[in-house]
Amino acid sequence: MGRRMIPTELKLVKGTLKPERRNWHEAKPRKGKPTAPAHLTGPARTEWNRLVDELHAIGLLTRIDRAALAAYCQAYGRWVEAELAVARMAERDMLTKGLMIKTTNGNAIQNPLVGIANKAMQDMVRYAVEFGMTPSSRAGIEAGVPGDDEKASDRAKRYF
């Protein structure tokens, strides 16, 4: 499949946009904040409320991004719930702190909640990268100053 495509706006702020490789017909979603899906509850809903205004304000979120942000928030919520459940088990388990459990046969295995937490954390970080919510994903992005009327598309017109 090859490498993922990088949006033109992102190439522009990174300074890596090459005129001969520009997609002049790239889709441009309408501006606006997405509404929270009804199925988000608890920590997932809290994370949605924490992020939606901030991501929209810096231009990294539109209404079309609703499902991707919801997936991030759901993974975040699942991670929090699994970690809290392991912590509750750890209070009763002084030896393995809830990281191991015994099967019906008496064998010690990794607590399934640990696997759920790890998978949710991996999913969460993968989605976070898509929204520039990790230090490395922000490293090459030059953010605009709030109130700056010159948009990336206006800067591009000067060059092309």
Side-chain angles (χ1 to χ4, degrees):
M1 286 202 20
R3 292 168 53 181
R4 276 191 336 200
M5 297 294 293
I6 299 172
T8 300
E9 295 282 332
L10 189 53
K11 288 180 185 178
L12 185 62
V13 296
K14 284 185 169 186
T16 60
L17 182 62
K18 296 178 182 169
E20 67 276 5
R21 303 217 37 201
R22 181 175 181 167
N23 178 1
W24 292 96
H25 303 288
E26 184 174 347
K28 293 176 179 61
R30 290 182 295 165
K31 302 292 183 200
K33 287 187 263 185
T35 58
H39 69 274
L40 294 181
T41 59
R45 175 64 69 138
T46 301
E47 185 71 350
W48 176 281
N49 293 335
R50 185 181 77 83
L51 289 175
V52 73
D53 288 332
E54 191 164 345
L55 288 173
H56 183 264
I58 60 174
L60 293 177
L61 185 66
T62 65
R63 288 187 301 218
I64 201 169
D65 301 320
R66 180 179 189 232
L69 183 59
Y72 163 81
C73 291
Q74 196 68 19
Y76 174 84
R78 188 166 292 127
W79 173 65
V80 168
E81 294 291 349
E83 290 291 348
L84 289 173
V86 170
R88 285 191 300 272
M89 290 179 80
E91 292 172 1
R92 297 186 311 259
D93 179 7
M94 295 301 142
L95 182 61
T96 69
K97 300 293 184 192
L99 299 178
M100 304 288 289
I101 62 169
K102 283 192 178 183
T103 66
T104 55
N105 294 337
N107 297 320
I109 63 167
Q110 177 181 289
N111 184 341
L113 289 169
V114 173
I116 291 169
N118 288 340
K119 175 68 169 108
M121 184 174 40
Q122 289 171 352
D123 290 345
M124 184 181 66
V125 171
R126 190 177 75 240
Y127 287 117
V129 167
E130 295 292 326
F131 289 101
M133 294 190 297
T134 65
S136 61
S137 66
R138 284 190 304 271
I141 299 174
E142 184 179 311
V145 178
D148 184 4
D149 291 335
E150 185 182 37
K151 297 179 182 168
S153 57
D154 296 332
R155 289 192 302 271
K157 288 176 187 170
R158 289 196 318 240
Y159 298 107
F160 306 109

